């Protein structure tokens, strides 16, 4: 009877040692994945810090004045076009259209 329990204990121990090894491998893989993710995150943070330092250390001011001048030119040209269209419609086109509409409704033929 004692050998029976001894054999059952050995079988259970062998089975659990296999499970234990699998769980141990899973834990090691998970730990390696977490370490790699943490390392990649730290590298990305360092890269951002370096980029930020480089951007803040630059003394060039290009594109700020150029963009402002482009916006100013676009606004002035747009205002001139709108003013011209308003004057054209107000003085030339609308009186003609108004007269033609009156002539259509006053038709006595």
């Amino acid at each position: 009877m004692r050998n029976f329990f001894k054999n059952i204990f050995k079988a259970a121990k062998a089975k659990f040692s296999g499970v234990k090894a699998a769980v141990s491998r899973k834990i090691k893989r998970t730990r390696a994945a977490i370490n790699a993710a943490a390392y990649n995150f730290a590298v990305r943070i360092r890269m951002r810090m370096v980029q930020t330092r480089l951007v803040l250390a630059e003394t060039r001011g290009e594109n700020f004045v150029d963009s402002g001048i482009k916006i100013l030119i676009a606004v002035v040209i747009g205002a001139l076009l709108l003013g011209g269209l308003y004057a054209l419609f107000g003085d030339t086109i609308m009186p003609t259209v108004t007269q033609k509409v009156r002539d259509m409704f006053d038709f006595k033929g």
Side-chain angles (χ1 to χ4, degrees), residues 31-65:
R31 183 180 291 161
I34 290 171
N35 286 341
Y39 177 77
N40 290 337
F41 181 72
V43 167
R44 284 198 312 258
I45 292 295
R46 284 190 201 117
M47 292 291 286
R48 285 285 182 205
M49 289 173 59
V50 169
Q51 286 176 343
T52 304
R53 281 189 200 137
L54 288 174
V55 168
L56 291 175
E58 287 182 2
T59 56
R60 297 181 309 189
E62 58 186 49
N63 292 332
F64 293 114
V65 176

